[in-house]
Amino acid sequence: MTTADQLIIFDTTLRDGEQSPGASMTKDEKLRIARALEKLRVDVIEAGFPIASHGDFEAVKAVAETIKDSTICGLARALEKDIVCAGEALKAANSGRIHTFIATSPIHMEKKLRMSPEQVLEQAVWAVRKARDYCDDVEFSPEDAGRSEIDFLCRVLEAVIDAGARTLNIPDTVGYAMPHQFGNLIAQLRERIPNADKAVFSVHCHNDLGLAVANSLAAVRNGARQVECTINGLGERAGNAALEEVAMAVRTRQDLFGCDTRLDTTQIVACSRLVSGITGFPVQPNKAIVGANAFAHESGIHQDGVLKHRETYEIMRAQDVGWTQNRMVLGKHSGRNAFRVRLQELGIALDSEEELNAAFSRFKDLADKKHEIFDEDLQALVTDATLDASNERVKLLSLRVCSETGETPHAEVVLSVDGAERRGSDGGSGPVDATFRAIESIINSGTTLKLYSVNAITSGTDAQGEVTVRLEQGGHIVNGAGADTDIVIASAKAYLNAINKITQPRERAHPQIGDV
Ligand code: KIV
Ligand code: ZN
């Protein structure tokens, strides 16, 4: 494949994806996702926004130190402190990139930045030059390009190319564009900017009108050669373009796009599950490529057609995106090595021997309770094991629930809070309600429950239930996840996971808010 026909995949799950309400991740979680993205052969990983908080800085630094096969990118506003901080965080990267941005739409310049267009242009050029002091690979984004005036955009982009930007990323920050319009914008920019051939055109589309993937693909049809996207379409508000959808669209319709990615698409499902498990954002069953029903045929006519000739109703092969047959992978007599090998086959890398041991001990417990263990069970179990290994203030020691026809369900819970054993009990309208109340009788968190959902990981009544809990406290939202064959225990785990996240210190700035 020549450079001209390679579509660069820039994954921003760890940066824009993390801006989804409740999707914040720890450094270790980011590292696990970064490893999975490297295995997926993503070209660029935007690991975070280093100036946003000490945690973000440390996470970008750790990803830069660990990942060697993908370029690692850090976001920076067009401000000296942001650029210096991003440069510092990326020091150890094999291949590092600074992504600097400033808004160019009239509404953002006037109402948010309170800067004139000339000041914005000058600041953009200054920022790109400054970023070039730290690395050769500099990307520039005119924020809210989708609502910017094209003449002004052309002037800014021409000037930043001269200043040393190698990638020009055109964001539809508020998801306002229509595909024909956005495609046309890319074509116009490429045509009108005299030095356009000196940079790669990239796009970054938000999904407010459900058009992020369509807009990204329209841009690719018009010469964009980098797409910014996220696993499962995670991201600010309605999210970003879903990586799996963009990648499979260009691969499946080579006849239309004339370019392809370097991705090992067989890693897609593993990445999707990992991100969903870590963030607590479940994937809807009918989601393209990675939803549980994406390759399931319900109607008899379809089933018959697929059995006779797969391509009658399938345009992609399930195994090409990493779906495996639901099969019993391991049994209760399987050893630690077989367990480790199967995790490797699933694209799951654990950080340490302790994490492997914790996961293996959970596997043994599960194998005692559940007859057949599937790949999906292993995914959930590993997420659970790493949750446990992390530094949690509140841990579940035991839970006893009584539920009887005609009686009020009652729960008794024993927690470890900062190392001290605490007991609580309460009744509720159901066993889960009673459990949450019993937990609250101990910790009194002052949070509000915003969402509670249960999903069976596999089929059968012995399936593990995967629970997501969303809590809110003073405008701050987190998601917690937990899995167990007992859904009340899974619910308690998910609740405590959310509690542990919400009580972590927060100092994070928001990338699209700020002095510039
Ligand atoms: O949506 C947006 O404009 C962004 C920029 C920082 C690229 O996320
Ligand atoms: Zn964005």
Side-chain angles (χ1 to χ4, degrees):
M1 200 196 304
T2 62
T3 348
D5 58 12
Q6 185 193 334
L7 181 64
I8 299 167
I9 293 294
F10 177 115
D11 180 279
T12 183
T13 307
L14 301 180
R15 198 278 297 169
D16 212 315
E18 207 206 10
Q19 286 171 223
S20 305
S24 58
M25 303 165 208
T26 64
K27 181 175 93 179
D28 288 346
E29 289 169 341
K30 283 192 166 192
L31 267 174
R32 291 182 60 213
I33 293 177
R35 286 203 190 97
L37 293 172
E38 184 183 38
K39 200 154 183 204
L40 176 62
R41 289 167 50 88
V42 155
D43 300 288
V44 187
I45 299 173
E46 189 164 50
F49 181 42
I51 194 79
S53 71
H54 178 67
D56 274 49
F57 178 89
E58 289 299 325
V60 175
K61 185 163 169 278
V63 172
E65 283 162 356
T66 312
I67 303 296
K68 296 299 163 205
D69 291 341
S70 306
T71 293
I72 307 304
C73 178
L75 183 68
R77 290 167 298 183
L79 291 177
E80 179 155 22
K81 59 181 179 184
D82 285 40
I83 294 167
V84 172
C85 188
E88 278 295 313
L90 293 169
K91 246 184 192 162
N94 230 4
S95 159
R97 173 183 295 189
I98 295 181
H99 175 191
T100 186
F101 72 99
I102 188 166
T104 50
S105 64
I107 184 168
H108 276 228
M109 289 190 291
E110 192 191 322
K111 307 283 184 209
K112 182 183 85 170
L113 300 177
R114 303 207 165 92
M115 286 169 80
S116 70
E118 292 316 308
Q119 286 172 318
V120 165
L121 191 149
E122 203 179 300
Q123 187 85 17
V125 169
W126 176 87
V128 168
R129 287 215 181 100
K130 182 79 194 165
R132 282 297 301 259
D133 290 346
Y134 291 89
C135 58
D136 289 342
D137 189 352
V138 172
E139 170 170 329
F140 174 78
S141 290
E143 191 192 1
D144 204 18
R147 293 188 300 172
S148 300
E149 284 164 2
I150 187 150
D151 291 347
F152 182 57
L153 263 187
C154 287
R155 282 182 60 215
V156 173
L157 294 176
E158 181 183 350
V160 296
I161 297 174
D162 279 343
R166 282 190 181 173
T167 303
L168 302 180
N169 177 49
I170 313 302
D172 181 23
T173 304
V174 291
Y176 183 68
M178 292 290 132
H180 69 284
Q181 210 181 19
F182 199 62
N184 190 38
L185 172 66
I186 302 302
Q188 290 276 313
L189 293 174
R190 291 183 62 229
E191 208 175 286
R192 288 177 50 180
I193 298 171
N195 49 3
D197 60 323
K198 307 261 181 324
V200 173
F201 276 78
S202 164
V203 287
H204 174 113
C205 298
H206 278 274
N207 207 28
D208 300 66
L209 292 171
L211 293 169
V213 170
N215 284 338
S216 305
L217 294 175
V220 173
R221 286 272 289 158
N222 285 280
R225 283 297 175 264
Q226 174 177 289
V227 171
E228 301 200 352
C229 43
T230 56
I231 300 290
N232 300 339
L234 210 64
E236 184 83 44
R237 305 182 309 279
N240 291 74
L243 175 148
E244 58 279 5
E245 295 178 21
V246 171
M248 290 318 288
V250 296
R251 185 148 299 174
T252 308
R253 296 305 308 270
Q254 291 276 304
D255 55 323
L256 282 181
F257 292 102
C259 62
D260 198 4
T261 69
R262 294 169 58 242
L263 296 186
D264 173 1
T265 59
T266 62
Q267 296 298 317
I268 283 179
V269 168
C271 278
S272 163
R273 289 206 182 124
L274 180 65
V275 169
S276 162
I278 285 178
T279 57
F281 275 56
V283 174
Q284 75 198 54
N286 57 329
K287 162 88 178 61
I289 320 291
V290 291
N293 292 349
F295 292 88
H297 299 279
E298 176 69 18
S299 116
I301 298 173
H302 289 208
Q303 285 174 355
D304 179 55
V306 169
L307 286 175
K308 286 179 175 145
H309 186 81
R310 187 187 61 79
E311 286 173 24
T312 50
Y313 286 101
E314 276 187 10
I315 57 167
M316 294 167 275
R317 294 189 326 159
Q319 60 266 45
D320 289 347
V321 296
W323 284 104
T324 49
Q325 287 279 322
N326 260 2
R327 60 191 173 103
M328 194 177 106
V329 286
L330 298 166
K332 96 190 230 178
H333 301 295
S334 304
R336 205 160 155 280
N337 203 35
F339 177 72
R340 183 206 302 265
V341 168
R342 187 61 200 149
L343 292 184
Q344 276 162 359
E345 283 167 2
L346 287 172
I348 303 168
L350 293 179
D351 286 342
S352 59
E353 280 300 299
E354 289 81 65
E355 278 189 10
L356 180 73
N357 291 341
F360 185 61
S361 130
R362 278 169 184 265
F363 160 71
K364 285 288 183 185
D365 289 347
L366 184 63
D368 275 339
K369 288 191 252 169
K370 192 169 184 281
H371 205 53
E372 296 174 309
I373 296 186
F374 298 99
D375 290 343
E376 290 85 344
D377 290 313
L378 291 184
Q379 292 275 0
L381 188 135
V382 164
T383 307
D384 241 28
T386 46
L387 289 179
D388 248 16
S390 68
N391 200 12
E392 298 198 320
R393 282 192 54 225
V394 189
K395 292 191 171 88
L396 179 68
L397 297 181
S398 70
L399 173 64
R400 186 164 179 272
V401 182
C402 249
S403 187
E404 198 181 330
T405 335
E407 297 293 326
T408 303
H410 193 80
E412 288 168 22
V413 67
V414 185
L415 301 179
S416 155
V417 182
D418 293 325
E421 195 175 297
R422 306 274 305 276
R423 289 167 186 274
S425 63
D426 208 343
S429 57
V432 172
D433 189 43
T435 301
F436 289 1
R437 284 169 183 273
I439 292 175
E440 280 299 333
S441 74
I442 302 173
I443 57 174
N444 201 6
S445 70
T447 57
T448 311
L449 182 70
K450 290 286 178 192
L451 176 133
Y452 170 77
S453 82
V454 192
N455 184 26
I457 295 179
T458 55
S459 54
T461 47
D462 67 347
Q464 288 196 86
E466 190 174 41
V467 174
T468 301
V469 162
R470 182 172 300 161
L471 296 180
E472 194 248 2
Q473 187 186 53
H476 180 49
I477 297 172
V478 297
N479 286 317
D484 201 280
T485 46
D486 181 324
I487 59 159
V488 184
I489 295 176
S491 303
K493 286 181 180 175
Y495 195 82
L496 292 177
N497 181 228
I499 289 288
N500 280 307
K501 283 186 179 174
I502 214 157
T503 50
Q504 269 166 19
R506 306 192 283 281
E507 20 139 2
R508 199 167 193 277
H510 191 292
Q512 269 104 43
I513 299 173
D515 21 9
V516 162

